Each structure stands twice: as C-alpha cells, then as structure tokens.
C-alpha cells in the first residue's frame, strides 16, 4: 500500500531549507512506511527496537523530530546544506542519520558507542540505499579523531535522546570546542526537568534503577577493589559514590580510605549512573545547570521547548497533544513547563545566528 505523504506541521516555513527538509522527510516516511524490516539480517533485539521506536506507530514522530533537528541546526550554522559536515552522535537505529543521508550534506557520519548498533545501522542504511559517508564506534573523541584523519571539521553534531546519558558533559563539550569552536551542537532530551510530569517520571525511574541495579553494582565493585571493606564502609561509600564512574569512582574510594573528603557530584539530586563505564540513567538537569556546563566549556546556549506527538491512534490523545502544543507556543520561554522534551543548542558566539 502506498505511503501517505505526511504534513510535518513544525516545518511549514516557505524558505528553501524548510521545503527541502520537508520533501526529504516525506520521502523517508514513505520509504520506511513501505519497508519490510523482517528482511533485515540483524539480531532480533535490534530489529525489534527499530520497529518499536522508529517504525509503525512512532514513525511519523521519529522523522518529524529528525526533520526539526536538521532544520534548526542547519539554520544555526548560517551555511548551506552542501557545505556542512554533520555527525549523528549516539545515533542508535533512529531516523536522524537516515534523513541526514538523504539531504545532500557534504559529509554525513554515523556514530554509536557500541559496535553491534553500528553494524545494524550499516545493514539498515544499505537496505534502504541511503549513503552514509562514515560509521564510527566510540565516544566523542573517536568522532573528532575520525574527522581529523579525514581532514575535515564537523559543522553540526546532532543527537536525539543521548545527552542525558553522557557521563562527562565537560569532556563532551570540551572535546568539540577543541575540534571546531564554530560547530553547532544540537541535542534533544526527554529528560525535561522543568515539566513537573516528566520530572516525576524520571525521579521514579532513578529510584527504581538505583535500588535494583546501580547501587548493588557499586557495592559489588567496592568489595572487589577494597577487599577489607566493612559493611558500614560499604554502605557509606555506596551513598557517597552515587553519580561517580570510572576513575572518579576509584578516586573517591581512595579518598575515603585516606580520610579525605569525597568530592560531591554536581547537580546530583536523584540522578544515578553505572559506576563501571559512566552511563547516566536519564540525567535530569535544569536549564541553568546545562547553561553553567556549556558556558564554562566556552559556548553560548539556547534551551527551547519541544512538542508533543500529534499522530497517536487515539483521537483524544491527539486533541490533547495539539492543545498542549498551542500552550507551548503561547507561553514562549515558559513552554518548557509543558513540553515532553527540550532542545539544548550549544554554539559559538562567532556563529552566524541570523
């Protein structure tokens, strides 16, 4: 059955870029709507993830988000699409790298931390006949190293629902500033501290994951690296090291053993991460906290409201979502109180923001 061309309501502008993004987004929508994911020769885990979160019921919203990210990020650079090198950082199996690959960018690079996800993404892009210029596994320094080896600079580093998992935002933004101070770093996250409902949702998630997974892991690691640790010391250190990982975690243990103060984690509240490799469970940060991190790294920042999906199967849900989207627009900067996600855009003051 032929796919219906969607109306991406947030890109109704009549400028050349909006028209181009809308056109390619509609083409990708049709391509994926008619795509049989069952033919993909990838692990069922990745296949099920791709279908559940980016095909079927979530297809329109996934592509709409990707279109929104690309449009705003390109406008922020002040450059034409054909001049831009773009990376989809922490891409997973989303539609952002696929849409970018259709847009005519100078260079499109896919990144994910895990090789298995990268391999699945290669299979999907080949099946869809969408050309991606490079696939990179690893953290942000692997991404910038790839560009250095290929003798180019990234103009845009975009991500969707990734920033809330990055262990060290200081390192992330610092590495990108060293790579190209003029790059635009466009991130979206559903970990919206300012929406009371989203804050409660994440608070409950933090408590659940901390109790069932992350605290028991810290206790296990503490007992492994300090064989003589007592039960009392274990419980105290398990509390003091919440939010610490890798060298920060082991350094905290050494400080405690030597009767030194364990440096508190900034903006901790209910947040928690995996101590072994530093994966935050939906790191919940406020506007001013992101601004403090990003400003210290050397960037300016915009913090803006996202929008609700209006393509649910339920007409009632769609009416409510449309109402909330109007509220978000009418309330301006306060729209973050009602939006399900936020946009965090870091950019240099030398960038053309007109």
């Amino acid at each position: 059955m032929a796919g219906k061309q969607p109306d991406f309501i947030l890109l109704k502008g009549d400028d050349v870029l909006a028209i181009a993004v809308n056109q390619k987004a509609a083409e990708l929508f049709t391509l994926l709507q008619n795509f049989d994911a069952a033919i993909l020769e990838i692990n069922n885990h990745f296949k099920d993830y791709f279908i559940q979160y980016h095909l079927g019921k979530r297809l329109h919203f996934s592509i709409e988000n990707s279109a929104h990210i690309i449009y705003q990020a390109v406008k922020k650079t002040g450059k034409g699409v054909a001049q831009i090198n773009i990376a989809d950082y922490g891409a997973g199996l989303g539609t952002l790298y696929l849409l970018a690959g259709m847009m005519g960018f100078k260079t499109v690079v896919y990144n994910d931390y895990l090789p298995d996800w990268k391999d699945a993404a290669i299979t999907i892009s080949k099946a869809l006949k969408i050309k991606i210029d490079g696939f990179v596994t690893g953290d942000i320094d692997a991404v910038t190293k790839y560009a250095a080896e290929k003798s180019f600079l990234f103009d845009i580093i975009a991500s969707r629902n990734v920033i809330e998992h990055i262990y060290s935002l200081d390192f992330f933004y610092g590495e990108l500033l060293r790579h190209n101070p003029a790059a635009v770093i466009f991130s979206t996250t559903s970990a919206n501290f300012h929406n009371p409902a989203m804050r409660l949702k994440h608070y409950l998630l933090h408590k659940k994951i901390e109790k069932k997974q992350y605290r028991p892991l810290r206790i296990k690691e503490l007992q492994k690296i300090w064989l003589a640790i007592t039960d009392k010391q274990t419980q105290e250190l398990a509390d003091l090291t919440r939010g610490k990982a890798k060298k920060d975690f082991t350094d905290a243990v050494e400080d405690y053993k030597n009767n030194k103060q364990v440096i508190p984690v900034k903006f901790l509240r209910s947040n928690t991460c995996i101590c072994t490799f530093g994966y935050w469970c939906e790191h919940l940060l406020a506007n001013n906290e992101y601004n403090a991190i990003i400003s210290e790294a050397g960037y300016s920042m915009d913090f803006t409201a996202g929008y609700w999906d209006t393509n649910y199967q339920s007409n009632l849900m769609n009416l409510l979502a449309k109402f909330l989207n109007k509220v978000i627009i009418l309330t301006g900067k306060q729209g973050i109180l009602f939006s399900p996600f936020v946009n965090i855009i870091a950019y240099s003051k030398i960038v053309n923001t007109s």
Side-chain angles (χ1 to χ4, degrees), residues 7-13 22 64 68 71 306-307 325 329:
D7 174 19
F8 292 99
I9 60 172
L10 293 179
L11 288 175
K12 279 191 171 179
N22 273 323
E64 188 172 28
H68 189 255
Y71 177 78
Y307 49 87
N325 284 341
I329 293 170

Side-chain angles (χ1 to χ4, degrees), residues 284-296:
L284 196 60
L285 296 174
N287 182 352
N288 65 308
E289 293 164 350
Y290 272 115
N291 190 50
I293 294 167
I294 289 170
S295 296
E296 188 172 340

